[in-house]
Amino acid sequence: LAAAQPVERPICQVADALVGSVDTHLAEWDAQIEVGLNATVNCSMFLEFVYLSRDRIRLQLEYIKGNFSQEDEAFRAAGGEGASTTWAMTHMSTAASLVSAHIHIHGVLAAARPECLSENLQLLFLMSLRRLKTLLHGQLRHLWIIFQGTAELFRQGAARWLAELVELFEADLRTMETVMVSWVPPPAERAEA
């Protein structure tokens, strides 16, 4: 008789997939930092990279919000109360992870390339950080609502929270565009041109 091969439990397969997913995100985030810290990139290109990076996060947040809204509406249309709390938490958690990574990456980049940031851009990034901190704190409040057993309030709050995140990134990008119109490269970069 052949020896029975041990069967991997489904929970182990899920754990392996989650670890692989996290590793992939970490590699992507490390690559963003490497690109941003590249000293051969001038300030104009650096700021374009920062802008496009923020825009990509905004787009991913829009997808998360859109998926959340569409799936919740489908549950309601089928006669249910809406999706499960776990399902809603997955969307909030994904968005919070993106925002947290964004804060860390852009914090490193802003500290490493201060010569590229005008006072207005520094102010924009500080104000954005303050508003993001408030939103991330709000996510913790939503977690508290879950533990109080009010799933419907949580789903409603999750929808509002995701909408606020997307609105914040959209407003920040519009402000950054406005500020960049009057941005002047640092003297060293102007001398090279």
PDB file of all heavy atoms in Angstrom, residues 138-175:
ATOM      1  N   GLY A 138     -11.004  57.106  12.283  1.00  0.00           N
ATOM      2  CA  GLY A 138     -12.414  56.770  12.068  1.00  0.00           C
ATOM      3  C   GLY A 138     -12.605  55.302  11.748  1.00  0.00           C
ATOM      4  O   GLY A 138     -13.616  54.699  12.135  1.00  0.00           O
ATOM      5  N   GLN A 139     -11.643  54.705  11.052  1.00  0.00           N
ATOM      6  CA  GLN A 139     -11.745  53.282  10.753  1.00  0.00           C
ATOM      7  C   GLN A 139     -11.752  52.482  12.047  1.00  0.00           C
ATOM      8  O   GLN A 139     -12.487  51.509  12.186  1.00  0.00           O
ATOM      9  CB  GLN A 139     -10.596  52.832   9.850  1.00  0.00           C
ATOM     10  CG  GLN A 139     -10.792  51.411   9.368  1.00  0.00           C
ATOM     11  CD  GLN A 139      -9.565  50.543   9.444  1.00  0.00           C
ATOM     12  OE1 GLN A 139      -8.541  50.918   9.997  1.00  0.00           O
ATOM     13  NE2 GLN A 139      -9.676  49.356   8.909  1.00  0.00           N
ATOM     14  N   LEU A 140     -10.967  52.902  13.011  1.00  0.00           N
ATOM     15  CA  LEU A 140     -10.957  52.213  14.305  1.00  0.00           C
ATOM     16  C   LEU A 140     -12.306  52.354  15.008  1.00  0.00           C
ATOM     17  O   LEU A 140     -12.772  51.425  15.670  1.00  0.00           O
ATOM     18  CB  LEU A 140      -9.832  52.757  15.187  1.00  0.00           C
ATOM     19  CG  LEU A 140      -8.418  52.505  14.663  1.00  0.00           C
ATOM     20  CD1 LEU A 140      -7.391  53.182  15.552  1.00  0.00           C
ATOM     21  CD2 LEU A 140      -8.145  51.021  14.543  1.00  0.00           C
ATOM     22  N   ARG A 141     -12.947  53.495  14.849  1.00  0.00           N
ATOM     23  CA  ARG A 141     -14.296  53.665  15.416  1.00  0.00           C
ATOM     24  C   ARG A 141     -15.274  52.683  14.777  1.00  0.00           C
ATOM     25  O   ARG A 141     -16.133  52.136  15.451  1.00  0.00           O
ATOM     26  CB  ARG A 141     -14.788  55.090  15.196  1.00  0.00           C
ATOM     27  CG  ARG A 141     -14.122  56.086  16.083  1.00  0.00           C
ATOM     28  CD  ARG A 141     -14.777  57.438  15.919  1.00  0.00           C
ATOM     29  NE  ARG A 141     -13.996  58.414  16.635  1.00  0.00           N
ATOM     30  CZ  ARG A 141     -13.928  59.676  16.324  1.00  0.00           C
ATOM     31  NH1 ARG A 141     -14.615  60.128  15.294  1.00  0.00           N
ATOM     32  NH2 ARG A 141     -13.195  60.508  17.018  1.00  0.00           N
ATOM     33  N   HIS A 142     -15.117  52.478  13.473  1.00  0.00           N
ATOM     34  CA  HIS A 142     -15.999  51.530  12.794  1.00  0.00           C
ATOM     35  C   HIS A 142     -15.775  50.105  13.306  1.00  0.00           C
ATOM     36  O   HIS A 142     -16.716  49.328  13.425  1.00  0.00           O
ATOM     37  CB  HIS A 142     -15.822  51.601  11.285  1.00  0.00           C
ATOM     38  CG  HIS A 142     -16.320  52.872  10.692  1.00  0.00           C
ATOM     39  ND1 HIS A 142     -17.632  53.267  10.789  1.00  0.00           N
ATOM     40  CD2 HIS A 142     -15.685  53.857  10.015  1.00  0.00           C
ATOM     41  CE1 HIS A 142     -17.784  54.437  10.199  1.00  0.00           C
ATOM     42  NE2 HIS A 142     -16.616  54.811   9.721  1.00  0.00           N
ATOM     43  N   LEU A 143     -14.531  49.784  13.612  1.00  0.00           N
ATOM     44  CA  LEU A 143     -14.262  48.473  14.205  1.00  0.00           C
ATOM     45  C   LEU A 143     -14.997  48.329  15.536  1.00  0.00           C
ATOM     46  O   LEU A 143     -15.528  47.272  15.861  1.00  0.00           O
ATOM     47  CB  LEU A 143     -12.757  48.279  14.415  1.00  0.00           C
ATOM     48  CG  LEU A 143     -11.929  48.030  13.164  1.00  0.00           C
ATOM     49  CD1 LEU A 143     -10.453  48.021  13.504  1.00  0.00           C
ATOM     50  CD2 LEU A 143     -12.334  46.732  12.512  1.00  0.00           C
ATOM     51  N   TRP A 144     -15.027  49.401  16.305  1.00  0.00           N
ATOM     52  CA  TRP A 144     -15.720  49.385  17.585  1.00  0.00           C
ATOM     53  C   TRP A 144     -17.220  49.134  17.368  1.00  0.00           C
ATOM     54  O   TRP A 144     -17.850  48.391  18.122  1.00  0.00           O
ATOM     55  CB  TRP A 144     -15.493  50.689  18.332  1.00  0.00           C
ATOM     56  CG  TRP A 144     -16.194  50.718  19.647  1.00  0.00           C
ATOM     57  CD1 TRP A 144     -17.250  51.488  20.012  1.00  0.00           C
ATOM     58  CD2 TRP A 144     -15.910  49.898  20.784  1.00  0.00           C
ATOM     59  NE1 TRP A 144     -17.634  51.214  21.295  1.00  0.00           N
ATOM     60  CE2 TRP A 144     -16.832  50.238  21.793  1.00  0.00           C
ATOM     61  CE3 TRP A 144     -14.976  48.899  21.043  1.00  0.00           C
ATOM     62  CZ2 TRP A 144     -16.836  49.626  23.036  1.00  0.00           C
ATOM     63  CZ3 TRP A 144     -14.980  48.299  22.301  1.00  0.00           C
ATOM     64  CH2 TRP A 144     -15.903  48.667  23.268  1.00  0.00           C
ATOM     65  N   ILE A 145     -17.769  49.717  16.331  1.00  0.00           N
ATOM     66  CA  ILE A 145     -19.198  49.513  16.035  1.00  0.00           C
ATOM     67  C   ILE A 145     -19.469  48.033  15.775  1.00  0.00           C
ATOM     68  O   ILE A 145     -20.493  47.496  16.197  1.00  0.00           O
ATOM     69  CB  ILE A 145     -19.632  50.377  14.823  1.00  0.00           C
ATOM     70  CG1 ILE A 145     -19.643  51.853  15.230  1.00  0.00           C
ATOM     71  CG2 ILE A 145     -20.991  49.952  14.293  1.00  0.00           C
ATOM     72  CD1 ILE A 145     -19.866  52.813  14.078  1.00  0.00           C
ATOM     73  N   ILE A 146     -18.542  47.355  15.108  1.00  0.00           N
ATOM     74  CA  ILE A 146     -18.710  45.918  14.856  1.00  0.00           C
ATOM     75  C   ILE A 146     -18.848  45.172  16.176  1.00  0.00           C
ATOM     76  O   ILE A 146     -19.717  44.325  16.345  1.00  0.00           O
ATOM     77  CB  ILE A 146     -17.516  45.349  14.063  1.00  0.00           C
ATOM     78  CG1 ILE A 146     -17.517  45.866  12.649  1.00  0.00           C
ATOM     79  CG2 ILE A 146     -17.552  43.821  14.052  1.00  0.00           C
ATOM     80  CD1 ILE A 146     -16.281  45.492  11.877  1.00  0.00           C
ATOM     81  N   PHE A 147     -17.975  45.492  17.099  1.00  0.00           N
ATOM     82  CA  PHE A 147     -17.978  44.769  18.370  1.00  0.00           C
ATOM     83  C   PHE A 147     -19.208  45.081  19.215  1.00  0.00           C
ATOM     84  O   PHE A 147     -19.522  44.365  20.143  1.00  0.00           O
ATOM     85  CB  PHE A 147     -16.691  45.039  19.144  1.00  0.00           C
ATOM     86  CG  PHE A 147     -15.501  44.399  18.498  1.00  0.00           C
ATOM     87  CD1 PHE A 147     -14.503  45.175  17.946  1.00  0.00           C
ATOM     88  CD2 PHE A 147     -15.406  43.021  18.392  1.00  0.00           C
ATOM     89  CE1 PHE A 147     -13.419  44.584  17.329  1.00  0.00           C
ATOM     90  CE2 PHE A 147     -14.332  42.429  17.769  1.00  0.00           C
ATOM     91  CZ  PHE A 147     -13.330  43.217  17.239  1.00  0.00           C
ATOM     92  N   GLN A 148     -19.896  46.132  18.890  1.00  0.00           N
ATOM     93  CA  GLN A 148     -21.135  46.447  19.586  1.00  0.00           C
ATOM     94  C   GLN A 148     -22.322  45.719  18.959  1.00  0.00           C
ATOM     95  O   GLN A 148     -23.442  45.827  19.442  1.00  0.00           O
ATOM     96  CB  GLN A 148     -21.396  47.950  19.566  1.00  0.00           C
ATOM     97  CG  GLN A 148     -20.399  48.727  20.406  1.00  0.00           C
ATOM     98  CD  GLN A 148     -20.647  50.213  20.321  1.00  0.00           C
ATOM     99  OE1 GLN A 148     -21.202  50.715  19.348  1.00  0.00           O
ATOM    100  NE2 GLN A 148     -20.237  50.924  21.350  1.00  0.00           N
ATOM    101  N   GLY A 149     -22.090  45.000  17.878  1.00  0.00           N
ATOM    102  CA  GLY A 149     -23.139  44.206  17.262  1.00  0.00           C
ATOM    103  C   GLY A 149     -24.091  44.992  16.382  1.00  0.00           C
ATOM    104  O   GLY A 149     -25.233  44.596  16.203  1.00  0.00           O
ATOM    105  N   THR A 150     -23.631  46.076  15.821  1.00  0.00           N
ATOM    106  CA  THR A 150     -24.489  46.895  14.961  1.00  0.00           C
ATOM    107  C   THR A 150     -23.954  46.847  13.532  1.00  0.00           C
ATOM    108  O   THR A 150     -23.383  47.804  13.038  1.00  0.00           O
ATOM    109  CB  THR A 150     -24.551  48.345  15.473  1.00  0.00           C
ATOM    110  OG1 THR A 150     -23.206  48.807  15.653  1.00  0.00           O
ATOM    111  CG2 THR A 150     -25.294  48.436  16.793  1.00  0.00           C
ATOM    112  N   ALA A 151     -24.168  45.723  12.882  1.00  0.00           N
ATOM    113  CA  ALA A 151     -23.617  45.486  11.548  1.00  0.00           C
ATOM    114  C   ALA A 151     -24.133  46.478  10.512  1.00  0.00           C
ATOM    115  O   ALA A 151     -23.371  46.952   9.665  1.00  0.00           O
ATOM    116  CB  ALA A 151     -23.925  44.065  11.100  1.00  0.00           C
ATOM    117  N   GLU A 152     -25.406  46.811  10.569  1.00  0.00           N
ATOM    118  CA  GLU A 152     -25.969  47.738   9.579  1.00  0.00           C
ATOM    119  C   GLU A 152     -25.311  49.111   9.693  1.00  0.00           C
ATOM    120  O   GLU A 152     -24.966  49.731   8.696  1.00  0.00           O
ATOM    121  CB  GLU A 152     -27.491  47.850   9.731  1.00  0.00           C
ATOM    122  CG  GLU A 152     -28.129  48.788   8.734  1.00  0.00           C
ATOM    123  CD  GLU A 152     -27.854  48.444   7.267  1.00  0.00           C
ATOM    124  OE1 GLU A 152     -27.668  47.261   6.938  1.00  0.00           O
ATOM    125  OE2 GLU A 152     -27.803  49.377   6.439  1.00  0.00           O
ATOM    126  N   LEU A 153     -25.120  49.584  10.917  1.00  0.00           N
ATOM    127  CA  LEU A 153     -24.427  50.866  11.102  1.00  0.00           C
ATOM    128  C   LEU A 153     -23.010  50.795  10.555  1.00  0.00           C
ATOM    129  O   LEU A 153     -22.503  51.754   9.982  1.00  0.00           O
ATOM    130  CB  LEU A 153     -24.396  51.255  12.581  1.00  0.00           C
ATOM    131  CG  LEU A 153     -25.709  51.687  13.197  1.00  0.00           C
ATOM    132  CD1 LEU A 153     -25.541  51.928  14.695  1.00  0.00           C
ATOM    133  CD2 LEU A 153     -26.217  52.942  12.517  1.00  0.00           C
ATOM    134  N   PHE A 154     -22.387  49.641  10.730  1.00  0.00           N
ATOM    135  CA  PHE A 154     -21.026  49.485  10.220  1.00  0.00           C
ATOM    136  C   PHE A 154     -21.001  49.577   8.703  1.00  0.00           C
ATOM    137  O   PHE A 154     -20.169  50.262   8.129  1.00  0.00           O
ATOM    138  CB  PHE A 154     -20.423  48.156  10.679  1.00  0.00           C
ATOM    139  CG  PHE A 154     -19.089  47.902  10.047  1.00  0.00           C
ATOM    140  CD1 PHE A 154     -17.983  48.639  10.421  1.00  0.00           C
ATOM    141  CD2 PHE A 154     -18.946  46.962   9.047  1.00  0.00           C
ATOM    142  CE1 PHE A 154     -16.758  48.434   9.824  1.00  0.00           C
ATOM    143  CE2 PHE A 154     -17.731  46.747   8.442  1.00  0.00           C
ATOM    144  CZ  PHE A 154     -16.629  47.490   8.834  1.00  0.00           C
ATOM    145  N   ARG A 155     -21.913  48.879   8.034  1.00  0.00           N
ATOM    146  CA  ARG A 155     -21.932  48.921   6.562  1.00  0.00           C
ATOM    147  C   ARG A 155     -22.170  50.344   6.069  1.00  0.00           C
ATOM    148  O   ARG A 155     -21.539  50.796   5.119  1.00  0.00           O
ATOM    149  CB  ARG A 155     -22.983  47.964   6.013  1.00  0.00           C
ATOM    150  CG  ARG A 155     -22.519  46.523   5.965  1.00  0.00           C
ATOM    151  CD  ARG A 155     -23.458  45.642   5.183  1.00  0.00           C
ATOM    152  NE  ARG A 155     -24.785  45.576   5.747  1.00  0.00           N
ATOM    153  CZ  ARG A 155     -25.148  44.801   6.760  1.00  0.00           C
ATOM    154  NH1 ARG A 155     -24.257  44.020   7.319  1.00  0.00           N
ATOM    155  NH2 ARG A 155     -26.386  44.799   7.197  1.00  0.00           N
ATOM    156  N   GLN A 156     -23.078  51.050   6.704  1.00  0.00           N
ATOM    157  CA  GLN A 156     -23.336  52.434   6.310  1.00  0.00           C
ATOM    158  C   GLN A 156     -22.095  53.297   6.555  1.00  0.00           C
ATOM    159  O   GLN A 156     -21.719  54.109   5.714  1.00  0.00           O
ATOM    160  CB  GLN A 156     -24.521  52.995   7.096  1.00  0.00           C
ATOM    161  CG  GLN A 156     -25.836  52.377   6.746  1.00  0.00           C
ATOM    162  CD  GLN A 156     -26.942  52.794   7.705  1.00  0.00           C
ATOM    163  OE1 GLN A 156     -26.747  53.649   8.564  1.00  0.00           O
ATOM    164  NE2 GLN A 156     -28.102  52.188   7.561  1.00  0.00           N
ATOM    165  N   GLY A 157     -21.470  53.100   7.700  1.00  0.00           N
ATOM    166  CA  GLY A 157     -20.256  53.859   8.025  1.00  0.00           C
ATOM    167  C   GLY A 157     -19.114  53.531   7.089  1.00  0.00           C
ATOM    168  O   GLY A 157     -18.339  54.405   6.696  1.00  0.00           O
ATOM    169  N   ALA A 158     -18.996  52.261   6.713  1.00  0.00           N
ATOM    170  CA  ALA A 158     -17.936  51.849   5.788  1.00  0.00           C
ATOM    171  C   ALA A 158     -18.107  52.540   4.450  1.00  0.00           C
ATOM    172  O   ALA A 158     -17.137  53.013   3.845  1.00  0.00           O
ATOM    173  CB  ALA A 158     -17.939  50.331   5.620  1.00  0.00           C
ATOM    174  N   ALA A 159     -19.340  52.628   3.980  1.00  0.00           N
ATOM    175  CA  ALA A 159     -19.608  53.297   2.698  1.00  0.00           C
ATOM    176  C   ALA A 159     -19.218  54.772   2.780  1.00  0.00           C
ATOM    177  O   ALA A 159     -18.574  55.303   1.864  1.00  0.00           O
ATOM    178  CB  ALA A 159     -21.082  53.154   2.327  1.00  0.00           C
ATOM    179  N   ARG A 160     -19.588  55.434   3.855  1.00  0.00           N
ATOM    180  CA  ARG A 160     -19.224  56.855   4.020  1.00  0.00           C
ATOM    181  C   ARG A 160     -17.716  57.024   4.124  1.00  0.00           C
ATOM    182  O   ARG A 160     -17.135  57.944   3.544  1.00  0.00           O
ATOM    183  CB  ARG A 160     -19.900  57.440   5.266  1.00  0.00           C
ATOM    184  CG  ARG A 160     -21.350  57.803   5.064  1.00  0.00           C
ATOM    185  CD  ARG A 160     -21.893  58.631   6.225  1.00  0.00           C
ATOM    186  NE  ARG A 160     -21.640  58.028   7.522  1.00  0.00           N
ATOM    187  CZ  ARG A 160     -22.439  57.142   8.114  1.00  0.00           C
ATOM    188  NH1 ARG A 160     -23.549  56.754   7.522  1.00  0.00           N
ATOM    189  NH2 ARG A 160     -22.132  56.641   9.292  1.00  0.00           N
ATOM    190  N   TRP A 161     -17.067  56.131   4.878  1.00  0.00           N
ATOM    191  CA  TRP A 161     -15.627  56.213   5.095  1.00  0.00           C
ATOM    192  C   TRP A 161     -14.883  56.051   3.771  1.00  0.00           C
ATOM    193  O   TRP A 161     -13.955  56.810   3.480  1.00  0.00           O
ATOM    194  CB  TRP A 161     -15.202  55.139   6.096  1.00  0.00           C
ATOM    195  CG  TRP A 161     -13.773  55.202   6.500  1.00  0.00           C
ATOM    196  CD1 TRP A 161     -13.215  56.027   7.422  1.00  0.00           C
ATOM    197  CD2 TRP A 161     -12.700  54.393   5.981  1.00  0.00           C
ATOM    198  NE1 TRP A 161     -11.864  55.777   7.509  1.00  0.00           N
ATOM    199  CE2 TRP A 161     -11.533  54.787   6.637  1.00  0.00           C
ATOM    200  CE3 TRP A 161     -12.640  53.382   5.030  1.00  0.00           C
ATOM    201  CZ2 TRP A 161     -10.301  54.199   6.388  1.00  0.00           C
ATOM    202  CZ3 TRP A 161     -11.414  52.803   4.776  1.00  0.00           C
ATOM    203  CH2 TRP A 161     -10.257  53.212   5.456  1.00  0.00           C
ATOM    204  N   LEU A 162     -15.283  55.075   2.959  1.00  0.00           N
ATOM    205  CA  LEU A 162     -14.641  54.876   1.662  1.00  0.00           C
ATOM    206  C   LEU A 162     -14.849  56.097   0.761  1.00  0.00           C
ATOM    207  O   LEU A 162     -13.928  56.530   0.061  1.00  0.00           O
ATOM    208  CB  LEU A 162     -15.178  53.617   0.987  1.00  0.00           C
ATOM    209  CG  LEU A 162     -14.730  52.297   1.619  1.00  0.00           C
ATOM    210  CD1 LEU A 162     -15.564  51.133   1.089  1.00  0.00           C
ATOM    211  CD2 LEU A 162     -13.251  52.058   1.383  1.00  0.00           C
ATOM    212  N   ALA A 163     -16.039  56.673   0.793  1.00  0.00           N
ATOM    213  CA  ALA A 163     -16.319  57.870  -0.016  1.00  0.00           C
ATOM    214  C   ALA A 163     -15.440  59.029   0.428  1.00  0.00           C
ATOM    215  O   ALA A 163     -14.898  59.768  -0.406  1.00  0.00           O
ATOM    216  CB  ALA A 163     -17.798  58.241   0.088  1.00  0.00           C
ATOM    217  N   GLU A 164     -15.274  59.204   1.736  1.00  0.00           N
ATOM    218  CA  GLU A 164     -14.420  60.287   2.241  1.00  0.00           C
ATOM    219  C   GLU A 164     -12.968  60.103   1.827  1.00  0.00           C
ATOM    220  O   GLU A 164     -12.289  61.074   1.490  1.00  0.00           O
ATOM    221  CB  GLU A 164     -14.512  60.375   3.767  1.00  0.00           C
ATOM    222  CG  GLU A 164     -15.821  60.936   4.278  1.00  0.00           C
ATOM    223  CD  GLU A 164     -15.887  60.955   5.799  1.00  0.00           C
ATOM    224  OE1 GLU A 164     -14.866  61.284   6.440  1.00  0.00           O
ATOM    225  OE2 GLU A 164     -16.958  60.629   6.332  1.00  0.00           O
ATOM    226  N   LEU A 165     -12.480  58.861   1.849  1.00  0.00           N
ATOM    227  CA  LEU A 165     -11.102  58.598   1.414  1.00  0.00           C
ATOM    228  C   LEU A 165     -10.903  59.007  -0.041  1.00  0.00           C
ATOM    229  O   LEU A 165      -9.932  59.686  -0.382  1.00  0.00           O
ATOM    230  CB  LEU A 165     -10.775  57.108   1.557  1.00  0.00           C
ATOM    231  CG  LEU A 165     -10.158  56.636   2.842  1.00  0.00           C
ATOM    232  CD1 LEU A 165      -9.922  55.136   2.793  1.00  0.00           C
ATOM    233  CD2 LEU A 165      -8.880  57.346   3.157  1.00  0.00           C
ATOM    234  N   VAL A 166     -11.817  58.584  -0.889  1.00  0.00           N
ATOM    235  CA  VAL A 166     -11.705  58.913  -2.322  1.00  0.00           C
ATOM    236  C   VAL A 166     -11.779  60.420  -2.507  1.00  0.00           C
ATOM    237  O   VAL A 166     -10.976  61.005  -3.248  1.00  0.00           O
ATOM    238  CB  VAL A 166     -12.798  58.188  -3.140  1.00  0.00           C
ATOM    239  CG1 VAL A 166     -12.844  58.695  -4.567  1.00  0.00           C
ATOM    240  CG2 VAL A 166     -12.552  56.678  -3.114  1.00  0.00           C
ATOM    241  N   GLU A 167     -12.704  61.090  -1.831  1.00  0.00           N
ATOM    242  CA  GLU A 167     -12.838  62.550  -1.947  1.00  0.00           C
ATOM    243  C   GLU A 167     -11.566  63.256  -1.494  1.00  0.00           C
ATOM    244  O   GLU A 167     -11.132  64.227  -2.118  1.00  0.00           O
ATOM    245  CB  GLU A 167     -14.028  63.040  -1.119  1.00  0.00           C
ATOM    246  CG  GLU A 167     -15.375  62.671  -1.715  1.00  0.00           C
ATOM    247  CD  GLU A 167     -16.540  62.943  -0.771  1.00  0.00           C
ATOM    248  OE1 GLU A 167     -16.349  63.641   0.255  1.00  0.00           O
ATOM    249  OE2 GLU A 167     -17.639  62.448  -1.050  1.00  0.00           O
ATOM    250  N   LEU A 168     -10.945  62.760  -0.421  1.00  0.00           N
ATOM    251  CA  LEU A 168      -9.717  63.378   0.075  1.00  0.00           C
ATOM    252  C   LEU A 168      -8.613  63.282  -0.975  1.00  0.00           C
ATOM    253  O   LEU A 168      -7.936  64.272  -1.266  1.00  0.00           O
ATOM    254  CB  LEU A 168      -9.273  62.700   1.372  1.00  0.00           C
ATOM    255  CG  LEU A 168      -8.021  63.293   1.989  1.00  0.00           C
ATOM    256  CD1 LEU A 168      -8.201  63.447   3.482  1.00  0.00           C
ATOM    257  CD2 LEU A 168      -6.807  62.440   1.695  1.00  0.00           C
ATOM    258  N   PHE A 169      -8.431  62.110  -1.558  1.00  0.00           N
ATOM    259  CA  PHE A 169      -7.380  61.962  -2.568  1.00  0.00           C
ATOM    260  C   PHE A 169      -7.679  62.795  -3.802  1.00  0.00           C
ATOM    261  O   PHE A 169      -6.771  63.393  -4.391  1.00  0.00           O
ATOM    262  CB  PHE A 169      -7.163  60.487  -2.917  1.00  0.00           C
ATOM    263  CG  PHE A 169      -6.175  59.809  -2.014  1.00  0.00           C
ATOM    264  CD1 PHE A 169      -6.556  59.350  -0.769  1.00  0.00           C
ATOM    265  CD2 PHE A 169      -4.855  59.662  -2.403  1.00  0.00           C
ATOM    266  CE1 PHE A 169      -5.651  58.741   0.074  1.00  0.00           C
ATOM    267  CE2 PHE A 169      -3.931  59.057  -1.568  1.00  0.00           C
ATOM    268  CZ  PHE A 169      -4.332  58.590  -0.330  1.00  0.00           C
ATOM    269  N   GLU A 170      -8.933  62.865  -4.210  1.00  0.00           N
ATOM    270  CA  GLU A 170      -9.290  63.701  -5.357  1.00  0.00           C
ATOM    271  C   GLU A 170      -9.000  65.167  -5.073  1.00  0.00           C
ATOM    272  O   GLU A 170      -8.427  65.873  -5.916  1.00  0.00           O
ATOM    273  CB  GLU A 170     -10.768  63.506  -5.713  1.00  0.00           C
ATOM    274  CG  GLU A 170     -11.052  62.170  -6.364  1.00  0.00           C
ATOM    275  CD  GLU A 170     -12.537  61.895  -6.558  1.00  0.00           C
ATOM    276  OE1 GLU A 170     -13.387  62.622  -5.998  1.00  0.00           O
ATOM    277  OE2 GLU A 170     -12.849  60.932  -7.289  1.00  0.00           O
ATOM    278  N   ALA A 171      -9.370  65.637  -3.891  1.00  0.00           N
ATOM    279  CA  ALA A 171      -9.119  67.039  -3.522  1.00  0.00           C
ATOM    280  C   ALA A 171      -7.624  67.319  -3.447  1.00  0.00           C
ATOM    281  O   ALA A 171      -7.158  68.366  -3.914  1.00  0.00           O
ATOM    282  CB  ALA A 171      -9.795  67.361  -2.192  1.00  0.00           C
ATOM    283  N   ASP A 172      -6.866  66.387  -2.877  1.00  0.00           N
ATOM    284  CA  ASP A 172      -5.416  66.572  -2.788  1.00  0.00           C
ATOM    285  C   ASP A 172      -4.776  66.649  -4.169  1.00  0.00           C
ATOM    286  O   ASP A 172      -3.878  67.459  -4.403  1.00  0.00           O
ATOM    287  CB  ASP A 172      -4.772  65.439  -1.993  1.00  0.00           C
ATOM    288  CG  ASP A 172      -4.953  65.594  -0.500  1.00  0.00           C
ATOM    289  OD1 ASP A 172      -5.505  66.625  -0.060  1.00  0.00           O
ATOM    290  OD2 ASP A 172      -4.546  64.677   0.238  1.00  0.00           O
ATOM    291  N   LEU A 173      -5.230  65.814  -5.083  1.00  0.00           N
ATOM    292  CA  LEU A 173      -4.662  65.839  -6.429  1.00  0.00           C
ATOM    293  C   LEU A 173      -5.002  67.145  -7.147  1.00  0.00           C
ATOM    294  O   LEU A 173      -4.147  67.714  -7.833  1.00  0.00           O
ATOM    295  CB  LEU A 173      -5.140  64.633  -7.230  1.00  0.00           C
ATOM    296  CG  LEU A 173      -4.514  63.302  -6.802  1.00  0.00           C
ATOM    297  CD1 LEU A 173      -5.253  62.134  -7.429  1.00  0.00           C
ATOM    298  CD2 LEU A 173      -3.038  63.258  -7.157  1.00  0.00           C
ATOM    299  N   ARG A 174      -6.234  67.624  -6.976  1.00  0.00           N
ATOM    300  CA  ARG A 174      -6.596  68.919  -7.582  1.00  0.00           C
ATOM    301  C   ARG A 174      -5.743  70.037  -6.993  1.00  0.00           C
ATOM    302  O   ARG A 174      -5.245  70.897  -7.729  1.00  0.00           O
ATOM    303  CB  ARG A 174      -8.082  69.209  -7.359  1.00  0.00           C
ATOM    304  CG  ARG A 174      -9.017  68.425  -8.251  1.00  0.00           C
ATOM    305  CD  ARG A 174     -10.450  68.938  -8.191  1.00  0.00           C
ATOM    306  NE  ARG A 174     -10.985  69.006  -6.845  1.00  0.00           N
ATOM    307  CZ  ARG A 174     -11.614  68.011  -6.217  1.00  0.00           C
ATOM    308  NH1 ARG A 174     -11.795  66.862  -6.832  1.00  0.00           N
ATOM    309  NH2 ARG A 174     -12.071  68.169  -4.995  1.00  0.00           N
ATOM    310  N   THR A 175      -5.545  70.019  -5.679  1.00  0.00           N
ATOM    311  CA  THR A 175      -4.722  71.047  -5.036  1.00  0.00           C
ATOM    312  C   THR A 175      -3.277  70.949  -5.495  1.00  0.00           C
ATOM    313  O   THR A 175      -2.634  71.965  -5.766  1.00  0.00           O
ATOM    314  CB  THR A 175      -4.810  70.922  -3.503  1.00  0.00           C
ATOM    315  OG1 THR A 175      -6.182  71.001  -3.112  1.00  0.00           O
ATOM    316  CG2 THR A 175      -4.016  72.015  -2.812  1.00  0.00           C
TER     317      THR A 175
END
